[in-house]
Amino acid sequence: MEHIVIIGNGIAGVTAARHIRKLSDKKITIVSAESEYFFSRTALMYVYMGHMKFEHTQPYENHFWKKNRVDLVKGYVTEINTQEKKLQIDGSPDLNYDKLIIATGSKPNKFGWPGQELDGVQGLYSKQDLELLEVNAPNNKVCKRAVIVGGGLIGIELAEMLRTRDIPVTFLVRETSFWNGVLPQGESEMINEHIREHHIDLRLGASLKEIVADENGRVKSVVIEETKEEIECSLVGLTAGVTPNIDFLHDSGIELDRGVKVNRYLETNVKDVYAIGDCAEQHEAIGNRRPVEAVWYTGRMMGEVLAQTICGNRMKYNPGHWFNSAKFLDIEYQTYGWVFPEKKKKESEVHFHWRHPNEKICITIAFDRDSETLLGINTFGIRLRHEVFDRWLNEKRNVDYVMEHLEDANFDPEFYKNFESQIVSKYNTDFGKSIKLKKKNLKRIFQLG
Ligand SMILES: Cc1cc2nc3c(=O)[nH]c(=O)nc-3n(C[C@H](O)[C@H](O)[C@H](O)COP(=O)(O)OP(=O)(O)OC[C@H]3O[C@@H](n4cnc5c(N)ncnc54)[C@H](O)[C@@H]3O)c2cc1C
């Protein structure tokens, strides 16, 4: 029986395993070092915040894997011999494979800052990081102040987590406005305000120079590069992005760059070796997507697609329109298609932006200047229907059509306030149009009749 070995039990690896099992009787083994069973990494923050226990982050009962004949090996793969098709595993016997799937995820970036290895300095990625956070920052007596370095999605999550235990937080963001490498200025500024309103000491245009130790080799303070200011702290959270976790592959003969290089079929340069999830890097970026996509749902998609290929139905990874969602403290964010920030946007990309006068709610719609075709939408505090925007992007709808039918796209519960009429009114003023909003229509939304 063909033996499929998967390294990594994250969303990418377990999705591949589940789908291979659905499609075949092959022998499947998952080798992973971090935890015995698959858990949802995106839910780690809620464990620290007391909303759930770690066990609740595990979507499958422990007996699921045995019942579905997926063997689990807990151990760290130190070497792959692709000639002999064999893995060396720390603390476990060698393992032979017929086909190998590398799904080893990411690791937090460290940029060689002085003091980055001191006690009290950590990232937020793994189960072990969460356990370490409980040691480093159980409360505001032990952790008098935390400094977070790096203004991305994990940084803001860590800030939110620490604030739930009343730990003072200073947040160093190198950019002049939060996440402005991704968000247009109006949105980024709204998030700056929101962070500050949550009593987080947000420092913009501030990078880390060094982390200073006390006499016991623990973090004592950090120094800011631009101002040379020294900030005393008990914890430094390094959240300046992630990199594919592939160090153990350097002598394997598998082609690497930032990640494991793969083609659209998720195949590497070595026969019968594949890579999926955060650790995979496309030879050619797909559309505007990044060659390495460190996102939950793309890992899941890659796992599903590769299962088809492994089971004899060779299938291309075709992720469709970009979408994503996240939370900035208590503001929900969704994005569909492409809305580029000022620095990256082409001249032909026009933005319409509306922001609520008092609340932290806003919307940005990007469209092409000449054809007025919808390019993308970002919303903060307004929930959208995925399938409606996906369809409008497929159909290359005109921005006027989108405005007219905006109620169809709203997915907020019924008792929520709706803002479509205010949004359309501002659009009409900004662009000299006279669009009239159409009433929400379920037939249209679900394409009935
Ligand atoms: C705090 C946090 C919040 C996030 N929130 C979101 C979110 O809201 N939305 C979103 O889209 N994404 C989010 N992400 C990103 C998302 O979690 C990742 O994109 C996703 O988990 C990657 O899945 P994966 O299967 O590729 O790898 P991973 O989940 O990283 O799993 C890989 C596993 O392989 C193991 N491994 C690595 N090397 C070896 C080896 N040599 N031997 C054995 N085992 C090994 C690792 O220990 C790990 O357990 C978040 C990430 C973090 C850290």
Side-chain angles (χ1 to χ4, degrees), residues 256-410:
L256 308 174
D257 190 358
R258 272 199 67 215
V260 181
K261 293 293 239 177
V262 291
N263 61 17
R264 284 292 290 274
Y265 296 90
L266 307 163
E267 297 158 339
T268 69
N269 62 317
V270 176
K271 189 170 177 300
D272 296 331
V273 179
Y274 308 83
I276 53 175
D278 277 24
C279 71
E281 176 178 2
Q282 288 287 326
H283 282 287
E284 304 271 337
I286 304 171
N288 288 321
R289 286 168 181 265
R290 295 186 176 158
V292 176
E293 292 183 297
V295 193
W296 181 265
Y297 79 89
T298 54
R300 197 179 53 213
M301 278 181 179
M302 289 187 219
E304 270 185 59
V305 167
L306 182 58
Q308 292 286 339
T309 298
I310 297 257
C311 295
N313 175 25
R314 193 162 176 260
M315 193 180 274
K316 242 185 184 176
Y317 169 57
N318 202 358
H321 293 294
W322 169 252
F323 69 91
N324 205 0
S325 63
K327 266 184 84 187
F328 297 95
L329 302 157
D330 40 17
I331 306 180
E332 283 186 37
Y333 156 71
Q334 290 185 333
T335 182
Y336 297 93
W338 295 104
V339 181
F340 284 106
E342 285 72 9
K343 284 184 223 170
K344 296 185 186 158
K345 108 180 157 56
K346 289 191 195 139
E347 252 211 74
S348 55
E349 179 180 332
V350 179
H351 285 184
F352 161 67
H353 182 69
W354 171 86
R355 181 173 167 185
H356 191 284
N358 315 313
E359 295 175 53
K360 297 282 181 302
I361 298 173
C362 75
I363 182 168
T364 307
I365 297 183
F367 58 94
D368 181 74
R369 182 187 308 278
D370 299 328
S371 63
E372 299 198 339
T373 308
L374 172 71
L375 300 173
I377 180 164
N378 286 353
T379 57
F380 289 77
I382 300 173
R383 254 185 239 170
L384 298 175
R385 269 179 210 281
H386 181 144
E387 59 279 21
V388 169
F389 265 97
D390 205 51
R391 193 188 315 141
W392 287 351
L393 286 164
N394 275 336
E395 293 168 351
K396 299 192 176 4
R397 287 291 182 184
N398 181 285
V399 63
D400 286 355
Y401 178 93
V402 171
M403 285 297 166
E404 221 170 75
H405 296 86
L406 212 48
E407 283 197 1
D408 286 0
N410 188 304

Side-chain angles (χ1 to χ4, degrees), residues 7-13 31-35 39 41-42 44-45 75-78 103-106 124-126 154 157 245 248 276-279 293-297 299 324-326:
I7 313 176
N9 69 355
I11 182 66
V31 188
S32 204
E34 178 183 359
S35 61
F39 68 93
R41 198 172 295 291
T42 54
L44 279 182
M45 68 183 295
Y76 186 82
V77 176
T78 51
T104 51
S106 300
L124 177 65
Y125 191 85
S126 62
I154 297 180
E157 279 194 4
N245 194 358
F248 72 109
I276 53 175
D278 277 24
C279 71
E293 292 183 297
V295 193
W296 181 265
Y297 79 89
N324 205 0
S325 63

Side-chain angles (χ1 to χ4, degrees), residues 3-10 13 28-36 70-78 87-90 92-93 95 100-101 103-104:
H3 187 195
I4 312 298
V5 174
I6 301 168
I7 313 176
N9 69 355
I28 305 171
T29 305
I30 306 181
V31 188
S32 204
E34 178 183 359
S35 61
E36 206 124 339
V70 175
D71 294 336
L72 304 179
V73 174
K74 184 153 189 270
Y76 186 82
V77 176
T78 51
L87 306 184
Q88 257 181 33
I89 306 170
D90 200 12
S92 194
L95 192 65
L100 177 68
I101 303 176
T104 51

Side-chain angles (χ1 to χ4, degrees), residues 35 37-40 43-44 46-48 51-62 65 127 130-131:
S35 61
Y37 301 106
F38 167 55
F39 68 93
S40 170
L44 279 182
Y46 301 109
V47 177
Y48 181 87
H51 299 186
M52 50 167 72
K53 296 209 162 97
F54 182 76
E55 302 85 85
H56 303 144
T57 66
Q58 297 178 176
Y60 303 99
E61 300 282 349
N62 293 351
W65 307 101
K127 177 173 188 274
L130 186 76
E131 289 160 359

